Amino acid sequence: MTDKLRVFTKDDVDPAALKGKTVAIIGYGAQGRAQGLNLKDSGIELIIGARSGGGSEQRALEDGQLVMPVEEAAREADLIAMLAPDMVHGEIYEGQLKEHMLPGQTLLFGHGFSVLYGRVKPAADLDVVMVAPKGIGQLVRREFEKGRGVPGLFAIHQDASGDAAKKALAYADGIGCTASAIFESTFKAEAETDMFGEQAVLCGGVTALFLRAYETLVEAGYPRELAYTECFHELKLVVDILHEGGLDKMYGSISETAAFGDLVNGERIIGPEVKERMKDVLADIQSGQFAHEWILENQAGKARFEAMKQKRRDHDIEEIGSHLRSYMPWLEGGGNNSGD
C-alpha cells in the first residue's frame, strides 16, 4: 500500500500568492461557473474568457462577471484556468492562448487529461498546475456558500517561476477547497484514477449493474415499477449512508436480512472475475488506449458516442423511471420528460 497523500489546509496558503493578480476562467459551465463565483466572493480579480454571443458569455454577464474574448483574457490575466471540456483544450490553447501568454503566467487545469495525453503542450516558460475539486460544480458552490469546502487535489506539471505550488494552493483556497483539505497528487495519478473510477464504478459500473438487475426482474415477470424501485430508486438511499459513514454505518442502518444477503451474495454478483476485467480497464487507461479511442471518436464527429448514449436513453427503465419520478415531488425537476 502506498503512503497517504500529503494534505494541505488554509494554514498552508500564502495569501500573497494571488494578491493583486488576475485570474481568467476559460469555460463557464457548471464547474467554471461555481469556481468563478467562489473566486469572486473570495475577492480575487476575475475575468471570464468567452466567445461573443455564446451561452457562457450570457451566463457570466448575468452573474455580474467581467467578460472578455479568450485572447484578451489571456493577455490580461496572471493565471488562466482551463475549465472547458477536455477535448477542446488543445484547440483553445493553440488557437487562442499560446501566442498571447507571457513567461511566468500560470496555466491551470481542473483535470490532468489534456496535458497527460499531449492534447496541450504548454510552453516551457509557463507554470502549469492542476486544481481538481472532488465534487460537481453545484456542490463546490453550495459548500462554499455554507463556509465549508469540497476536498480537492492539486498537482504541479511545470514550475517555471518557482512559485507554482503557492499559486495552485491560493487558487484552491479561493474556490474553497482548503476549508476542507487539498491533497498533493500528480497529473498522471489524478487523470488515471478519475477515469477508472468513472468507468469501473461511478458511471459505467453502476449503470450496467442497475440495468442488468432491472432487466433480470422484468424478464422474470415482476412489475416494472417494482424493478425500478428496488434496483434503481433505492440505490441513492444506500449510497448516501455509505457516503456519510462507510460500511459500518450501512450495516447499522439496513435490515439484518439485507446485510446477510449482501455478505452471502454480493461476491456472487461482483466476484473475482469482475476485478480481473477492472484490471483490463485500468490497463487500457494506463497505456493511453482509452484516451486514444476517445480522441479519435471526437475527431470523427462523435457519431458512435451519440448513438450509444441514445441507446441507453431508449432503455425501458427511462420510461418507467420518468413515470415514477412524477410522483416524487422532492426530486428536483421531477421526471425527465422522456415518457410521460
Side-chain angles (χ1 to χ4, degrees):
M1 182 178 293
T2 58
D3 292 336
K4 292 180 179 178
L5 294 178
R6 185 180 176 189
V7 61
F8 295 77
T9 65
K10 267 190 175 295
D11 293 338
D12 300 298
V13 177
D14 180 355
L18 287 182
K19 188 175 182 180
K21 306 292 185 183
T22 300
V23 171
I25 286 180
I26 313 301
Y28 204 68
Q31 193 65 242
R33 181 173 185 267
Q35 294 189 28
L37 290 171
N38 290 2
L39 290 167
K40 183 180 180 182
D41 288 348
S42 294
I44 292 175
E45 194 73 27
L46 187 67
I47 300 169
I48 306 302
R51 176 176 54 84
S52 178
S56 290
E57 180 190 52
Q58 183 61 37
R59 284 191 297 273
L61 290 173
E62 289 173 357
D63 288 337
Q65 302 281 25
L66 175 63
V67 183
M68 297 180 183
V70 173
E71 297 86 347
E72 188 175 346
R75 291 192 295 268
E76 295 291 328
D78 301 283
L79 183 152
I80 294 93
M82 186 84 83
L83 301 180
D86 294 328
M87 287 299 111
V88 299
H89 285 187
E91 177 184 339
I92 292 172
Y93 179 73
E94 292 294 331
Q96 298 174 279
L97 296 180
K98 188 175 181 179
E99 64 178 284
H100 301 288
M101 294 186 70
L102 300 173
Q105 284 180 295
T106 302
L107 187 58
L108 180 146
F109 295 86
H111 182 34
F113 185 100
S114 56
V115 171
L116 178 63
Y117 297 111
R119 304 298 293 166
V120 176
K121 298 178 181 178
D125 54 14
L126 300 176
D127 286 344
V128 181
V129 305
M130 178 187 68
V131 174
K134 293 290 99 179
I136 60 175
Q138 293 92 325
L139 182 65
V140 171
R141 179 59 178 164
R142 186 167 67 243
E143 289 302 296
F144 180 91
E145 290 179 311
K146 292 179 179 178
R148 304 186 302 204
V150 173
L153 302 175
F154 84 97
I156 311 302
H157 178 71
Q158 288 181 183
D159 188 7
S161 71
D163 290 326
K166 290 182 179 180
K167 289 183 277 189
L169 285 170
Y171 183 95
D173 185 61
I175 65 173
C177 288
T178 57
S180 175
I182 185 157
F183 300 88
E184 186 174 20
S185 186
T186 66
F187 274 61
K188 177 178 171 64
E190 185 279 334
E192 292 179 350
T193 56
D194 184 75
M195 288 187 292
F196 176 79
E198 291 167 346
Q199 294 170 33
V201 182
L202 306 177
C203 303
V206 166
T207 302
L209 183 65
F210 71 67
L211 287 177
R212 298 297 85 80
Y214 171 87
E215 291 165 358
T216 299
L217 286 181
V218 171
E219 290 167 9
Y222 294 99
R224 296 158 68 222
E225 291 86 351
L226 293 184
Y228 176 86
T229 301
E230 299 302 332
C231 298
F232 182 69
H233 170 69
E234 293 191 14
L235 177 64
K236 182 182 186 303
L237 308 179
V238 176
V239 169
D240 282 350
I241 294 169
L242 286 165
H243 193 256
E244 291 166 5
L247 291 168
D248 184 60
K249 182 166 184 177
M250 184 192 77
Y251 288 129
S253 303
I254 62 177
S255 69
E256 289 191 336
T257 303
F260 185 68
D262 160 22
L263 297 168
V264 170
N265 288 318
E267 292 268 339
R268 291 179 65 188
I269 305 299
I270 308 295
E273 72 283 358
V274 174
K275 185 176 179 180
E276 292 305 310
R277 291 196 290 273
M278 286 182 172
K279 289 180 180 179
D280 291 340
V281 169
L282 180 58
D284 283 348
I285 292 170
Q286 292 172 325
S287 70
Q289 175 60 34
F290 171 78
H292 177 69
E293 184 178 352
W294 177 222
I295 290 166
L296 289 179
E297 180 66 25
N298 276 266
Q299 292 173 344
K302 297 191 288 189
R304 174 172 166 253
F305 172 62
E306 294 299 335
M308 290 189 294
K309 283 199 298 182
Q310 190 57 50
K311 183 177 180 181
R312 281 286 177 85
R313 290 183 176 122
D314 292 339
H315 194 284
D316 178 62
I317 199 173
E318 283 289 88
E319 192 277 331
I320 193 63
S322 180
H323 172 66
L324 290 175
R325 287 192 295 273
S326 69
Y327 297 102
M328 303 175 190
W330 64 89
L331 297 178
E332 185 177 350
N336 62 7
N337 301 316
S338 66
D340 289 346

